[in-house]
């Protein structure tokens, strides 16, 4: 039901049941918010969004109060502005003046609020919070003195990630946010997904940077510098550099990376193709044997850590096939090293990815061979963009170049795999194609793409039902468990931690908006429609890689290098 | 200690969170503190993450997470004691020991915590040392008091 309310002496239409904030926003009136998170229930904790409602003594928090028909609202009266300003001034009063060096500079919400509210001097003086830096995690750095206690990280970790790794500790001036027993982060149940980093308005949470390390190696002439990047990286870089993204941008990125000093540039997408292909073969074997064990895809490293901690019972069903990054990584250290006649220890191998948890994955136990890591350094898209800017590469003046053989291409399915449901879709399509020479029904496949955090389909294989489940963010696991407990069987299960898949990965630019992401997903689906090589098994490049390189190389022909292992983890849950 | 926690847990309903505070109180009364082990067990029993239990417990002054010292001082910082100058007493202890409330000295001898009201509001500031109450405490008395107790413990 629509009704009229009055805002700043003008009539606007509001809808019964919506909050004041949503009515304002729909009518193009902007007010600042801080603790509010889109798609979360409001808490009204920070009071940044206050407005004046005629007839009410106290200012009202617009993010949590429902609109009512009689309301006369002032959104920018002197009283409201003073209130908002005071909140920000209080937040700034004990905040470290570290902005020039801060990881969040140019993206900080606190800074933006201070600017929007025209704060020009430090009116409220308070003792600065004592610095406390936690760098123990392989992926995420916590700078507690920069925390403004908005609670967004606590909520996303509980309500979206379901890891419950953060909470408020103590009270009053001693309040801070941290993991169980106030330990360092690496002892906690954190699965390194980085969703909290994306939520944090300040520099209190950010990724662990590897730029300095990478630079050091770039300057080292005795080392061969190699980089791989995954399909979403190019669009992320385009966004960060403020260039319109098109399909050719991959090839521009290749030349930029070479100009920075990388000797070889490979596509993680080739590794994705291998990953899909190996999984499809495994699934095909399971179906043939009538195996009732489900096959859980293990390509999302945050999900893998989650399983190791919270549901170790399924580990025997977790596919041992490495993630695309690690497959590409191990091929660089074996095949490429062999080809070029260099020792693997003379290669420095970097991976650029939209994922935060891959920083952790690269350091896992089962991700090295003879003491040599598959991947040496993992950078987020944001870090790579910094590196590119640091080297002053002028994008407008650059010729597109192909990536390096034999990992220079990918099927459109490899891009699909970075969107939730895409990996499962690619695997089942490949399995079907390998068996029948045609793909399963397109409309059926599309049902894996959208529709809540739990999605499923059944595909027929010679009269046998093969069930596929997609868990889109870990909240979907509850539904899976309920169904499995009730006796339902699944043959293939894809789980991705970030909602929507890697497209919402914590390594992508902060400026990547919801509509940017949607557009990108649309492009990925469109490409899959028109691409001739829409599955790894149709890729001449991949065939060549398998037949000419992998199968011919007796050290890796058994494909053991593509496998890893998982084990139960003991952390405080 | 293990079995003690287990037998206390049995008195409460599994999966229920509404009795968390009394449950933690009871375990602390028996064990003297809430150990990591206790928090993990509580979490498993009532189905709540250790992060949340720890976060909640730290909100209350009464819980401690490391064993108390041999000299266990409790300082009242309730309204009445506060008005009578408990802050100065707390500062004196903090300066003398270099410890924060809830911490225990490395040698395990001394620890202190702050509570809100010990029921002796007319005689504030009130502190208790190993459950013995001292009324009308002045900051100047703290060094002597602590030295005496330390002497007794060391020569025990
Ligand atoms: S990285 Fe993910 S799991 Fe870790 S604290 Fe942040 S939101 Fe929670
Ligand atoms: S760490 Fe960041 S997101 Fe979490 S409470 Fe502090 S300011 Fe908010
Ligand atoms: S944004 Fe409304 S109270 Fe925080
Ligand atoms: S306020 Fe200290 S005893 Fe009551």
């Amino acid at each position: 039901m629509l009704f009229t309310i009055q805002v700043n002496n003008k009539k606007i239409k509001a809808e019964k049941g919506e909050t004041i904030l949503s009515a304002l926003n729909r009518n193009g009136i902007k007010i600042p918010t801080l603790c509010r998170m889109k798609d979360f229930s409001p808490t009204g904790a920070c009071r940044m969004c206050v407005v004046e409602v005629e007839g009410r003594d106290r200012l009202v928090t617009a993010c949590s109060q429902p609109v009512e028909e009689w309301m006369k609202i002032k959104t920018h009266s002197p009283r409201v502005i003073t209130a908002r300003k005071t909140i920000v001034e209080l937040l700034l009063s004990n905040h470290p003046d570290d902005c020039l060096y801060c990881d969040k500079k140019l993206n900080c919400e606190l800074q933006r609020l201070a600017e929007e509210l025209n704060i020009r001097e430090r009116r409220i003086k308070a003792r600065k919070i004592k610095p406390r830096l936690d760098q123990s995690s392989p992926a995420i750095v916590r700078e507690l003195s920069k925390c403004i206690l908005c609670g967004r990280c606590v909520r996303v970790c509980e309500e979206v990630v379901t890891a419950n790794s953060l909470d408020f500790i103590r009270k009053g001036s001693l309040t801070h946010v941290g993991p169980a027993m106030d330990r360092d982060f690496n002892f906690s149940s954190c699965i390194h997904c980085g969703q909290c980093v994306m939520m944090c308005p300040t520099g209190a949470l950010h990724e662990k940077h590897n730029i300095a390390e990478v630079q050091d190696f770039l300057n080292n002439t005795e080392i061969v510098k190699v980089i791989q990047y995954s399909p979403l990286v190019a669009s992320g870089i385009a966004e960060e550099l403020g260039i319109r993204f098109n399909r050719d941008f991959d090839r521009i990125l290749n030349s930029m990376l070479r100009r920075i000093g990388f000797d070889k540039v490979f596509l993680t997408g080739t590794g994705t193709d291998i990953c899909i292909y190996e999984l499809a073969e495994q699934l095909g074997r399971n179906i043939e044997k009538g195996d009732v064990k489900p096959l859980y895809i293990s390509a999302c490293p945050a999900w893998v850590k989650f399983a190791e901690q919270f549901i170790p019972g399924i580990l025997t069903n977790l596919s041992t096939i490495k993630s695309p990054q690690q497959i590409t990584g191990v091929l660089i250290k074996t095949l490429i090293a062999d080809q070029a006649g260099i020792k693997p220890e003379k290669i420095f191998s970097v991976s650029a990815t939209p994922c935060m948890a891959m920083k952790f994955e690269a350091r896992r136990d089962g991700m090295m061979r003879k003491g040599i890591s598959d991947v040496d350094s993992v950078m987020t898209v944001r870090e790579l963009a910094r590196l590119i800017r640091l080297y002053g590469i002028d994008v407008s003046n650059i010729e597109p170049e192909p990536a390096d053989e034999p990992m220079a291409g990918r099927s459109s399915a490899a891009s699909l795999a970075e969107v939730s449901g895409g990996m499962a879709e690619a695997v089942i399509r490949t399995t079907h194609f390998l068996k029948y020479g045609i793909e399963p029904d397109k409309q059926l496949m599309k049902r894996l793409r959208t529709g809540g955090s739990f999605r499923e389909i059944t595909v027929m294989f010679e009269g046998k039902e093969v069930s596929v489940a997609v868990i889109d963010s870990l909240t979907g696991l509850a539904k899976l468990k309920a169904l499995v407990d009730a006796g339902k069987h699944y043959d293939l299960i894809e789980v991705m931690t970030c909602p929507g898949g890697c497209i919402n990965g914590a390594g992508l630019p902060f400026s990547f908006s919801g509509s940017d992401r949607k557009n990108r997903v649309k492009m990925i689906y469109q490409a899959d429609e028109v691409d001739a090589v829409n599955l790894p098994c149709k890729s001449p490049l991949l065939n060549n890689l398998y037949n000419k390189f992998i199968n011919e190389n007796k050290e890796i022909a058994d494909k053991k290098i593509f496998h890893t292992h998982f084990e139960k983890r003991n952390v405080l849950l | 200690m293990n079995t003690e926690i287990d037998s206390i847990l049995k008195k409460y309903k599994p999966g229920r969170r509404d009795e968390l505070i009394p449950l933690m109180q009871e375990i602390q009364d028996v064990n003297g503190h809430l150990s990591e082990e206790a928090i993990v067990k509580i979490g498993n029993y009532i189905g709540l993450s250790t992060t949340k239990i720890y976060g909640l417990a730290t909100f209350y002054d009464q819980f401690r997470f490391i064993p108390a010292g041999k000299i266990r001082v409790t300082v009242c910082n309730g309204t009445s004691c506060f008005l009578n100058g408990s802050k100065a007493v707390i500062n004196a202890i903090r300066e003398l020991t270099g410890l924060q409330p809830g911490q225990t000295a490395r040698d395990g001898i001394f620890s202190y915590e702050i509570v809100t009201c010990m029921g002796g509001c007319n005689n504030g500031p009130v502190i208790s040392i190993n459950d013995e109450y001292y009324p009308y405490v002045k900051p100047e008395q703290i060094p002597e008091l602590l030295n005496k107790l330390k002497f007794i413990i060391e020569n025990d």
Side-chain angles (χ1 to χ4, degrees):
Chain A
M1 191 184 82
L2 278 180
F3 52 72
T4 310
I5 59 169
Q6 218 185 64
V7 179
N8 306 332
N9 296 324
K10 273 204 355 231
K11 292 201 170 72
I12 67 165
K13 289 263 180 264
E15 216 167 288
K16 197 180 158 70
E18 71 178 333
T19 59
I20 300 178
L21 182 69
S22 117
L24 294 178
N25 283 350
R26 217 163 14 80
N27 285 281
I29 303 162
K30 271 179 55 181
I31 56 170
T33 59
L34 188 56
C35 69
R36 186 187 89 102
M37 299 156 80
K38 206 172 159 277
D39 303 326
F40 282 70
S41 54
T43 59
C46 74
R47 300 194 57 79
M48 187 63 64
C49 62
V50 284
V51 294
E52 208 173 333
V53 175
E54 203 179 284
R56 297 236 178 129
D57 290 344
R58 273 167 61 87
L59 296 178
V60 162
T61 49
C63 73
S64 59
Q65 287 285 323
V67 273
E68 284 163 50
E69 202 166 351
W70 48 267
M71 275 183 171
K72 289 189 176 143
I73 296 169
K74 292 218 170 68
T75 59
H76 289 83
S77 67
R79 185 174 163 215
V80 167
I81 291 193
T82 309
R84 288 184 196 143
K85 209 165 164 172
T86 310
I87 294 169
V88 177
E89 285 180 316
L90 277 168
L91 291 175
L92 291 174
S93 69
N94 59 9
H95 201 77
D97 287 332
D98 187 36
C99 304
L100 282 173
Y101 308 98
C102 182
D103 197 75
K104 264 289 177 68
K105 59 173 174 267
L106 308 178
N107 287 304
C108 173
E109 280 182 46
L110 186 58
Q111 215 172 53
R112 201 164 65 226
L113 285 169
E115 167 60 24
E116 275 173 20
L117 289 159
N118 192 31
I119 292 170
R120 284 287 173 276
E121 56 177 331
R122 186 185 285 280
R123 274 200 318 128
I124 307 171
K125 295 203 172 68
R127 195 174 328 149
K128 296 267 169 292
I129 310 171
K130 250 219 269 87
R132 178 170 164 197
L133 191 65
D134 177 0
Q135 292 186 289
S136 64
S137 155
I140 293 161
V141 178
R142 300 193 300 146
E143 290 194 44
L144 274 78
S145 60
K146 291 182 182 171
C147 172
I148 56 173
L149 302 174
C150 69
R152 293 188 343 196
C153 55
V154 175
R155 295 194 67 195
V156 77
C157 188
E158 176 174 356
E159 295 173 38
V160 175
V161 184
T162 70
N164 279 309
S165 305
L166 291 171
D167 198 6
F168 288 102
I169 295 173
R170 313 212 45 182
K171 66 177 166 189
S173 64
L174 296 171
T175 315
H176 59 283
V177 167
M181 307 308 289
D182 211 357
R183 292 261 199 84
D184 280 345
F185 225 13
N186 60 336
F187 294 113
S188 76
S189 59
C190 169
I191 58 175
H192 312 296
C193 69
Q195 286 302 312
C196 54
V197 173
M198 296 311 272
M199 285 296 165
C200 184
T202 70
L205 294 168
H206 60 81
E207 71 255 58
K208 177 167 270 176
H209 286 290
N210 289 333
I211 299 184
E213 173 187 87
V214 172
Q215 258 182 288
D216 275 353
F217 280 98
L218 284 173
N219 294 336
N220 185 336
T221 47
E222 315 215 308
I223 294 278
V224 178
K225 284 82 70 175
V226 177
I227 189 166
Q228 58 163 306
Y229 65 89
S230 61
L232 278 172
V233 171
S235 49
I237 292 290
E239 164 74 26
E240 276 271 336
L241 301 182
I243 317 158
R244 232 187 122 76
F245 173 72
N246 61 34
R247 281 198 81 190
D248 209 34
F249 194 74
D250 268 24
R251 287 153 46 80
I252 304 240
L253 183 59
N254 295 335
S255 9
M256 287 201 273
L257 294 171
R258 291 202 181 98
R259 291 217 190 160
I260 288 176
F262 287 104
D263 302 308
K264 298 256 180 205
V265 179
F266 296 115
L267 301 190
T268 309
T270 308
T272 316
D273 275 339
I274 294 178
C275 184
I276 294 168
Y277 188 80
E278 295 291 323
L279 279 163
E281 282 208 318
Q282 172 82 52
L283 180 66
R285 281 195 298 270
N286 286 2
I287 295 171
E288 206 107 295
K289 279 192 304 196
D291 203 329
V292 291
K293 282 204 305 284
L295 180 65
Y296 282 89
I297 299 175
S298 59
C300 167
W303 145 244
V304 168
K305 185 165 188 265
F306 186 91
E308 289 177 315
Q309 296 171 173
F310 293 94
I311 32 177
I314 66 130
L315 291 181
T316 45
N317 297 331
L318 196 57
S319 156
T320 57
I321 295 163
K322 288 179 183 174
S323 72
Q325 164 181 287
Q326 297 304 130
I327 290 181
T328 313
V330 76
L331 282 176
I332 290 170
K333 291 288 175 83
T334 50
L335 200 68
I336 306 300
D338 251 21
Q339 245 184 358
I342 30 175
K343 292 208 179 87
E345 55 266 40
K346 287 281 174 204
I347 296 179
F348 183 71
S349 169
V350 179
S351 164
T353 143
C355 174
M356 199 89 99
M358 290 199 173
K359 285 177 182 280
F360 152 78
E361 177 180 49
R363 294 217 204 157
R364 288 183 61 104
D365 248 7
M367 299 299 181
M368 49 171 75
R369 198 169 166 270
K370 300 180 182 159
I372 293 164
S373 310
D374 295 349
V375 175
D376 295 301
S377 198
V378 177
M379 296 179 110
T380 61
V381 174
R382 294 189 295 268
E383 286 174 88
L384 184 61
R386 279 190 188 172
L387 193 70
I388 291 173
R389 283 194 290 255
L390 189 65
Y391 279 77
I393 310 287
D394 176 9
V395 199
S396 56
N397 228 326
I398 219 159
E399 282 301 311
E401 291 172 7
D404 282 292
E405 298 287 345
M407 291 184 281
R410 57 158 185 261
S411 69
S412 63
S415 298
L416 214 58
E418 287 191 306
V419 182
S420 167
M423 187 68 139
E425 179 182 332
V427 171
I428 194 83
R429 266 164 53 185
T430 307
T431 312
H432 198 276
F433 189 87
L434 288 176
K435 196 156 176 66
Y436 301 112
I438 49 158
E439 290 189 36
D441 177 45
K442 259 197 185 137
Q443 292 313 316
L444 181 64
M445 290 299 114
K446 283 190 179 156
R447 290 197 356 230
L448 285 178
R449 294 182 182 180
T450 46
S453 60
F454 178 90
R455 311 191 277 271
E456 59 176 321
I457 58 164
T458 303
V459 187
M460 296 307 288
F461 275 79
E462 278 162 7
K464 265 190 265 177
E465 288 187 349
V466 172
S467 297
V468 184
V470 165
I471 314 297
D472 182 352
S473 86
L474 302 177
T475 47
L477 285 172
K479 180 89 183 275
L480 175 72
K481 183 172 186 301
L483 285 164
V484 168
D485 285 351
K488 176 92 188 149
H489 167 76
Y490 294 97
D491 298 277
L492 179 69
I493 304 173
E494 175 203 293
V495 187
M496 280 200 179
T497 305
C498 295
C502 314
I503 186 79
N504 274 305
L508 286 166
F510 291 121
S511 57
F512 224 38
S513 71
S515 59
D516 288 338
R517 287 170 213 266
K518 271 203 201 102
N519 275 337
R520 189 73 193 93
V521 172
K522 215 157 92 195
M523 286 177 76
I524 291 173
Y525 288 147
Q526 273 165 2
D528 188 59
E529 293 290 321
V530 297
D531 219 325
V533 183
N534 68 345
L535 287 179
C537 50
K538 299 182 190 168
S539 157
L541 211 134
L542 196 73
N543 270 328
N544 191 40
L545 180 59
Y546 266 112
N547 295 334
K548 280 237 183 73
F549 296 96
I550 297 172
N551 298 341
E552 290 295 301
N553 188 318
K554 56 182 182 311
E555 247 205 287
I556 60 174
D558 60 5
K559 300 202 263 188
K560 278 205 181 102
I561 55 163
F562 295 153
H563 291 263
T564 181
H565 56 84
F566 309 107
E567 55 202 308
K568 185 174 168 11
R569 258 168 216 275
N570 282 317
V571 293
L572 287 175
L573 296 183
Chain B
M1 216 153 92
N2 256 327
T3 47
E4 268 166 14
I5 297 175
D6 291 335
S7 58
I8 295 171
L9 284 173
K10 278 205 200 89
K11 293 197 247 166
Y12 293 80
K13 288 195 199 74
R16 286 278 295 273
R17 299 174 186 188
D18 43 353
E19 287 186 301
L20 175 58
I21 302 281
L23 169 58
M24 290 196 294
Q25 271 163 346
E26 194 169 339
I27 290 179
Q28 168 149 314
D29 283 346
V30 174
N31 284 353
H33 71 289
L34 288 176
S35 62
E36 185 178 302
E37 185 197 359
I39 291 181
V40 170
K41 284 197 163 171
I42 297 171
N44 287 338
Y45 194 75
I46 67 166
L48 196 61
S49 77
T50 49
T51 319
K52 299 281 161 193
I53 296 176
Y54 179 77
L56 184 80
T58 56
F59 188 79
Y60 297 91
D61 295 321
Q62 51 175 307
F63 295 114
R64 51 178 314 119
F65 306 93
I66 33 178
K70 288 192 183 121
I71 305 174
R72 188 167 48 82
V73 178
T74 313
V75 192
C76 179
N77 198 26
T79 317
S80 184
C81 288
F82 178 77
L83 292 174
N84 283 322
S86 59
K87 199 87 214 166
V89 176
I90 295 170
N91 286 343
I93 297 177
R94 196 196 312 257
E95 264 162 39
L96 200 69
T97 62
L99 298 175
Q100 296 293 331
Q103 287 183 338
T104 303
R106 244 171 241 269
D107 58 9
I109 300 232
F110 182 82
S111 71
Y112 79 103
E113 56 214 276
I114 294 173
V115 296
T116 44
C117 197
M118 310 206 306
C121 306
N122 290 330
N123 314 325
V126 181
I127 72 170
S128 84
I129 302 177
N130 295 352
D131 295 324
E132 193 176 317
Y133 287 80
Y134 293 74
Y136 308 116
V137 178
K138 294 196 177 62
E140 307 86 81
Q141 297 171 300
I142 296 292
E144 202 197 313
L145 211 58
L146 294 187
N147 275 338
K148 218 164 37 191
L149 280 157
K150 196 163 179 200
F151 184 80
I152 295 173
I153 289 206
E154 276 169 357
N155 294 291
D156 201 4

